[in-house]
Amino acid sequence: MKNHKHIVTIGVLLALSLIFAYLEMILPSFLPNPAFKIGLSQIPILLTFYLFDLKSSAAVSTGKVLMMSLLFGYFLTYIFFVNLSGAIFSILFIGLSQQLKFSIPMTSLMSSLGHNLGQFIIIGFTLGWNIALFYLPVIIVFSVLFGLIIGLISQSLLNKIEKRI
Amino acid sequence: MNIPKITFIKINKKEILIVIGLLILALTSYLFINNQNPGAKVKIEVNQRLYGTYDLNKTQEILVRDNGGNILLRSLIINGKIHVISSTCKDKICVHQGEISLSGQTIVCLPNKVVITIINDADKIDGVLK
């Protein structure tokens, strides 16, 4: 860890991500399947990635899964591992798009695709691949759509943050 | 705090091509998977094991239990549609998913590992009825 400010900022971003995740949990979903989420909690993770580095955003992402599972009582259950796999894959995909020099909306899209892919792999191995395949087209379309929207929100936020520093 | 200068990379052709490719992939897989026929039967699996198949045209209530005999969820078949009435899981996503009736459609309860799938008569059912 570099300095105190770094740690505090990451803590605040993690808290923000938890609040977004909670909001998404309690708000009624307008998507075809109530399990689908817009991914508002990805905004702080993307901000962490662009303000610091991949390691810090990995800490926020896995920290979010861990804290949510402890808060809502599903630590070390099946759902916890599904979410953890999603978080790990989304970070891997952010790292991949860093290597490929993608723009911010595209990085967000990749992270959203990675999140779903990670969850699919666990669900496919435990519940059968035909369920995962049935939802594939819808998942891709929503990943692209909401990934880009979340990416554009993050981009405008980063623009504003950069001006303040 | 020295924050590295954020490099704003513009959306370029490569990225637009990837997005279009993904959408084409989604469309083709949708055309492969999608068949909007009303199904004839309901298959319920618990933890990848076949729990039972039920006639979709007969009004009935199905209690899904785990190996220990504890009730995982209650579902109801009415008017050729199936929906989950109540479940022991926390998020209740399976309950909010509502009714399904077309073949291929599924209701998944992830915490309980219960999968409800609508199937056609022609579809082969592998496994033994419990």
Side-chain angles (χ1 to χ4, degrees):
Chain A
M1 285 288 133
K2 281 126 205 170
N3 55 37
H4 301 315
K5 247 185 176 173
H6 181 140
I7 299 168
V8 169
T9 317
I10 285 177
V12 169
L13 284 163
L14 174 58
L16 199 60
S17 161
L18 282 175
I19 290 167
F20 278 135
Y22 179 61
L23 269 180
E24 274 184 335
M25 222 174 81
I26 56 170
L27 288 176
S29 173
F30 56 90
L31 301 174
N33 188 316
F36 297 165
K37 303 264 161 66
I38 311 167
L40 284 174
S41 59
Q42 283 289 323
I43 296 174
I45 293 166
L46 281 168
L47 291 186
T48 320
F49 171 65
Y50 281 105
L51 291 175
F52 301 104
D53 50 4
L54 192 64
K55 247 190 211 167
S56 313
S57 69
V60 173
S61 185
T62 47
K64 185 202 117 193
V65 173
L66 198 70
M67 299 293 267
M68 282 300 279
S69 73
L70 288 172
L71 280 171
F72 297 101
Y74 58 87
F75 184 54
L76 292 185
T77 60
Y78 176 62
I79 289 287
F80 170 73
F81 290 110
V82 171
N83 287 341
L84 188 67
S85 167
I88 291 168
F89 269 78
S90 106
I91 289 299
L92 287 178
F93 270 58
I94 290 179
L96 182 73
S97 22
Q98 189 187 22
Q99 295 297 316
L100 294 170
K101 292 194 167 46
F102 279 161
S103 64
I104 297 173
M106 193 65 192
T107 307
S108 164
L109 195 160
M110 290 291 278
S111 98
S112 133
L113 269 182
H115 193 94
N116 290 314
L117 188 72
Q119 296 195 333
F120 265 24
I121 285 170
I122 297 276
I123 292 170
F125 274 121
T126 51
L127 293 179
W129 290 100
N130 49 349
I131 305 159
L133 281 175
F134 180 74
Y135 282 111
L136 185 75
V138 194
I139 287 286
I140 292 176
V141 170
F142 280 117
S143 287
V144 169
L145 187 67
F146 290 114
L148 287 176
I149 290 171
I150 294 295
L152 288 170
I153 294 171
S154 310
Q155 192 170 31
S156 63
L157 279 173
L158 280 165
N159 257 326
K160 289 214 163 67
I161 292 170
E162 207 186 30
K163 271 176 205 161
R164 288 288 170 89
I165 299 166
Chain B
M1 185 163 57
N2 44 350
I3 282 166
K5 184 111 176 72
I6 305 155
T7 45
F8 289 100
I9 301 162
K10 285 252 168 69
I11 297 174
N12 50 36
K13 251 186 199 162
K14 183 176 69 180
E15 293 171 3
I16 293 167
L17 278 178
I18 291 171
V19 169
I20 291 170
L22 281 171
L23 291 177
I24 289 171
L25 178 71
L27 190 70
T28 46
S29 52
Y30 178 74
L31 291 177
F32 264 108
I33 292 163
N34 181 47
N35 55 334
Q36 298 288 335
N37 302 318
K41 282 183 172 173
V42 174
K43 183 175 73 173
I44 297 181
E45 285 168 304
V46 182
N47 209 352
Q48 277 199 295
R49 276 219 213 94
L50 188 69
Y51 184 81
T53 51
Y54 304 89
D55 196 345
L56 200 54
N57 297 315
K58 213 168 82 187
T59 301
Q60 55 188 321
E61 189 189 13
I62 303 158
L63 286 175
V64 181
R65 294 166 192 271
D66 65 1
N67 286 338
N70 304 312
I71 293 172
L72 293 176
L73 53 85
R74 283 168 63 213
S75 60
L76 184 69
I77 299 177
I78 191 161
N79 298 335
K81 289 170 181 171
I82 184 166
H83 67 275
V84 177
I85 305 168
S86 68
S87 163
T88 53
C89 62
K90 274 191 180 143
D91 48 14
K92 309 280 182 215
I93 281 171
C94 46
V95 181
H96 296 310
Q97 238 173 299
E99 295 174 321
I100 56 168
S101 60
L102 303 173
S103 70
Q105 282 187 317
T106 54
I107 293 178
V108 184
C109 182
L110 270 187
N112 288 332
K113 297 191 197 173
V114 177
V115 180
I116 300 169
T117 320
I118 308 273
I119 51 173
N120 276 329
D121 253 339
D123 288 347
K124 262 197 180 164
I125 303 157
D126 43 1
V128 189
L129 288 179
K130 198 175 169 185

